[in-house]
Amino acid sequence: LLVCLRMLMRKCVCENISKDDIQKLFPSEVLPELVRLLTLLLQKFQREWRADVHMDKLQNDMQCPQESDLSFQLAKETLDTMLKSVYIIRDQLSNMGET
């Protein structure tokens, strides 16, 4: 799932990817509710990530880092936030199943 999220984050930054396209890129093993919620998170952060990349390019006098470097930096900076959200979602789904 983490590899999939990194790839999706890269696509969200580098491409104009739609909600339907994002959902199609998740493995079939991922629960539909989790796909829906992660898609919302990816869409929510898409503009912020693009702005960060743009700012990095403006501030960096040297050659722009490779796409994989940018993706790793973005994943590193935002992965904690996304994982916390996923754990909250998991707990909420677990609580729903218990009731």
Side-chain angles (χ1 to χ4, degrees), residues 51-94:
D52 288 345
V53 169
H54 182 67
M55 289 298 287
D56 287 345
K57 286 181 181 179
L58 290 176
Q59 293 176 355
N60 190 357
D61 293 335
M62 298 171 45
Q63 185 177 6
C64 183
Q66 296 295 321
E67 180 181 313
S68 60
D69 294 336
L70 289 174
S71 298
F72 178 77
Q73 290 170 3
L74 290 172
K76 183 178 177 183
E77 292 172 1
T78 59
L79 190 56
D80 284 340
T81 303
M82 289 187 67
L83 286 175
K84 286 176 186 175
S85 298
V86 169
Y87 286 126
I88 290 170
I89 292 165
R90 180 199 64 187
D91 293 343
Q92 289 174 347
L93 291 172
S94 295

Side-chain angles (χ1 to χ4, degrees), residues 1-2 4-5 23 25-38:
L1 183 58
L2 292 176
C4 180
L5 286 173
Q23 291 179 341
L25 295 172
F26 280 95
S28 59
E29 298 85 17
V30 181
L31 296 173
E33 183 65 12
L34 188 55
V35 169
R36 185 183 71 78
L37 294 170
L38 289 171

Side-chain angles (χ1 to χ4, degrees), residues 13-59:
V13 170
C14 299
E15 300 174 19
N16 191 12
I17 188 167
S18 72
K19 178 181 175 180
D20 292 334
D21 292 336
I22 292 172
Q23 291 179 341
K24 290 176 187 176
L25 295 172
F26 280 95
S28 59
E29 298 85 17
V30 181
L31 296 173
E33 183 65 12
L34 188 55
V35 169
R36 185 183 71 78
L37 294 170
L38 289 171
T39 299
L40 290 173
L41 284 171
L42 287 165
Q43 287 180 305
K44 177 182 177 181
F45 288 107
Q46 186 175 26
R47 285 185 184 156
E48 182 181 329
W49 294 335
R50 284 185 179 170
D52 288 345
V53 169
H54 182 67
M55 289 298 287
D56 287 345
K57 286 181 181 179
L58 290 176
Q59 293 176 355

